Amino acid sequence: MGYWQCGTHCTIPVEDQTKDSGRSRPTSKKLSMKPSKDYHEQQLTWATSRRLPDDDPLDEEHQLLRQDWEQFVQLIETSQDTGPFKVTVPPDQNRSTSRPERLYVVAVIAATLFIGLISSWAFYQRQQSTLPIATNNSETATNTSVADNYPHRTDKDPNSAVPPTNIPYETTLAQTEPNTSPVTQDEPTKHKDDLYAWEDSWDEELALAEQAIVDIGTRWNSVDAYVDSVSHEIDEYEDLWNETRL
Amino acid sequence: MTQQTADDAYRFAQWTAEHWGVVRGFVLSLVQRPDVADDVTQETFRRALESVGKYTESGQARSYLLKIADRLVVDHARQKQREVTLKETKWQRLQDEHESHQPDQLASQKESQQQLNKALNLLSEEQRRVLLLRYYGEMKFSEIAEITQWPVNTVLSHCRRGLLAMRDTLHDSG
């Protein structure tokens, strides 16, 4: 590449007019005191290119222009996102919902989440409450029976029966006949394998529970009859009282 | 769908993915209105879609799109006087409300945008077009001369004088 020394400060490449693929190449064929148009174009092209070629020097003026260009590029790049498809739409088109509608949507979402949370919690509680029945079967089975928890039970004389008033809610069906359940006594770890497996001993427990329910029904009927008789007596007393008063 | 149509659709999709941001940035720098920039960019791609079948692949898609955009911006400038527009501040406020950037990023970007607009406003329309075509299109000056239909010397002169005109403002912002 040929250069023409202009004084002591600048080096100007001198070009011929034959162009090779649209870009002039400096040669030493033609010398001129005045830089040519191609020289300016080349310098300005370099000064405003994305990357400054390492081996192509810029004169002083174009170095300053290069700095201006770099500042200009930096400003554009920081001010604009030139990534693909950054499409902004006019505000009125972009706002698809009004504020009340958005509040409504938010409220619906919140309510849905709340209901979901409650449902999950209830399901979890239900699962927790079913587990102790199976597991407590082996732990508390030896203590009490249903009959022990019915101090007023008088099967032999239904007429003298009084309604039970002190039936503990903690009494579970599993506690009725603990000793008849060998599984719960001998193999306590079996439940850990399959908590929901049906065991034959539960049939007996169910039968006992069924009998207990029948007993309660019978006693309830007897109590009902007793109440009827008492109310009948009250009616009689009332009639007597009315007659006496008259 | 014929093979030719499929090729055109693929090419257009590629143009959109690769050059949408560049074209919009170019238009936005010229018109300095996001809403107008969106409209002009959309119109640019619509016209490109219409003529995508006639385009012969030469690796100059960006220049081709910027050429369309440049003409549309010139047309827009001619029609601008007849437009009734929102006040700039109001529009800008509405626009800002719908930007999805982080606040600090938005503030920085907005400040840079103001500085850029300030610098660009120091230029004549010709200087602005030359510099922006040079930056966004990475075009040779001869290509810019072809688009603008000015002599190459005039294009060079606009480029040089444009940079000189912005020098103080650019260095203040830097």
Side-chain angles (χ1 to χ4, degrees):
Chain A
M1 182 180 291
Y3 292 97
W4 177 71
Q5 293 294 329
C6 174
T8 56
H9 298 292
C10 62
T11 304
I12 300 172
V14 184
E15 300 129 330
D16 63 358
Q17 299 302 314
T18 58
K19 295 192 174 181
D20 181 13
S21 65
R23 187 166 181 177
S24 60
R25 292 184 179 278
T27 69
S28 58
K29 287 182 181 177
K30 184 177 179 180
L31 298 178
S32 169
M33 290 295 290
K34 185 181 178 182
S36 66
K37 179 192 82 175
D38 288 341
Y39 168 75
H40 276 307
E41 182 177 353
Q42 194 175 52
Q43 287 281 294
L44 208 50
T45 300
W46 289 341
T48 58
S49 61
R50 286 288 171 103
R51 282 188 58 191
L52 185 63
D54 297 331
D55 56 343
D56 292 325
L58 294 172
D59 61 30
E60 193 174 347
E61 182 196 354
H62 287 91
Q63 281 178 4
L64 290 173
L65 288 175
R66 174 71 190 176
Q67 290 175 10
D68 298 337
W69 176 256
E70 284 174 352
Q71 294 281 345
F72 177 62
V73 168
Q74 190 180 1
L75 201 53
I76 290 179
E77 286 175 350
T78 52
S79 67
Q80 292 176 10
D81 180 8
T82 57
F85 254 115
K86 180 181 179 295
V87 183
T88 57
V89 297
D92 290 337
Q93 293 178 24
N94 195 24
R95 186 177 293 161
S96 58
T97 53
S98 62
R99 176 167 290 186
E101 286 171 339
R102 275 180 287 173
L103 284 175
Y104 176 74
V105 168
V106 168
V108 167
I109 291 171
T112 307
L113 287 174
F114 180 73
I115 290 170
L117 187 68
I118 293 295
S119 302
S120 304
W121 181 78
F123 180 72
Y124 176 75
Q125 288 296 320
R126 195 168 58 187
Q127 275 195 328
Q128 290 292 95
S129 64
T130 54
L131 289 178
I133 290 178
T135 54
N136 288 340
N137 197 9
S138 61
E139 295 169 358
T140 61
T142 57
N143 296 330
T144 58
S145 67
V146 171
D148 294 337
N149 288 320
Y150 286 81
H152 304 289
R153 183 172 179 174
T154 53
D155 292 337
K156 293 178 180 177
D157 186 8
N159 291 329
S160 63
V162 293
T165 56
N166 193 23
I167 301 174
Y169 286 105
E170 295 79 13
T171 303
T172 61
L173 296 178
Q175 290 173 330
T176 54
E177 286 293 335
N179 294 329
T180 61
S181 175
V183 174
T184 57
Q185 294 285 333
D186 300 332
E187 300 174 13
T189 58
K190 188 175 181 182
H191 289 292
K192 291 177 182 175
D193 297 335
D194 188 0
L195 292 173
Y196 301 101
W198 187 261
E199 295 177 9
D200 295 338
S201 62
W202 293 356
D203 288 332
E204 297 173 13
E205 292 173 3
L206 270 179
L208 287 168
E210 218 170 1
Q211 182 60 42
I213 290 169
V214 170
D215 291 346
I216 291 171
T218 306
R219 285 162 55 202
W220 178 257
N221 289 335
S222 65
V223 169
D224 202 22
Y226 177 72
V227 169
D228 282 345
S229 66
V230 169
S231 72
H232 181 66
E233 286 181 11
I234 289 172
D235 288 341
E236 285 179 351
Y237 280 121
E238 195 173 354
D239 291 341
L240 186 64
W241 170 255
N242 288 334
E243 288 174 4
T244 308
R245 194 174 60 175
L246 289 174
Chain B
M1 184 182 282
T2 63
Q3 183 62 36
Q4 180 63 33
T5 312
D7 289 347
D8 291 347
Y10 176 76
R11 177 184 290 164
F12 182 73
Q14 212 171 11
W15 285 358
T16 309
E18 288 177 7
H19 304 305
W20 182 281
V22 169
V23 173
R24 186 181 181 277
F26 169 72
V27 176
L28 180 61
S29 298
L30 282 173
V31 299
Q32 298 183 8
R33 281 267 305 272
D35 56 319
V36 178
D38 287 336
D39 288 346
V40 173
T41 306
Q42 190 173 340
E43 180 64 13
T44 301
F45 278 84
R46 192 188 68 77
R47 293 197 182 189
L49 177 62
E50 284 177 352
S51 57
V52 68
K54 300 171 191 169
Y55 176 79
T56 52
E57 188 58 68
S58 58
Q60 301 290 325
R62 179 178 290 191
S63 300
Y64 176 68
L65 292 168
L66 288 177
K67 190 174 176 180
I68 299 173
D70 183 64
R71 286 181 186 168
L72 287 172
V73 170
V74 172
D75 290 344
H76 170 76
R78 288 178 188 150
Q79 295 170 358
K80 195 177 176 182
Q81 293 173 345
R82 298 198 296 271
E83 283 184 0
V84 178
T85 57
L86 280 172
K87 282 186 178 177
E88 193 66 26
T89 51
K90 185 178 178 183
W91 180 263
Q92 194 61 46
R93 197 182 69 238
L94 289 171
Q95 185 72 18
D96 290 346
E97 285 176 1
H98 294 82
E99 292 285 349
S100 57
H101 295 293
Q102 297 295 323
D104 54 342
Q105 185 186 355
L106 187 64
S108 168
Q109 202 172 10
K110 192 174 176 182
E111 188 181 354
S112 299
Q113 181 70 53
Q114 287 172 346
Q115 286 174 343
L116 178 65
N117 289 346
K118 185 181 171 187
L120 289 172
N121 286 333
L122 296 171
L123 309 179
S124 68
E125 186 187 330
E126 293 81 7
Q127 291 167 350
R128 209 177 300 153
R129 284 175 68 191
V130 169
L131 287 173
L132 292 173
L133 283 170
R134 176 78 183 134
Y135 169 71
Y136 283 104
E138 297 180 61
M139 295 180 190
K140 295 175 184 171
F141 289 108
S142 55
E143 291 173 323
I144 297 174
E146 189 183 327
I147 289 176
T148 56
Q149 297 181 335
W150 299 327
V152 175
N153 269 344
T154 307
V155 171
L156 292 171
S157 176
H158 284 317
C159 180
R160 181 176 166 277
R161 288 179 185 174
L163 288 173
L164 288 174
M166 288 192 297
R167 178 168 289 173
D168 292 339
T169 308
L170 290 174
H171 286 276
D172 286 346
S173 67

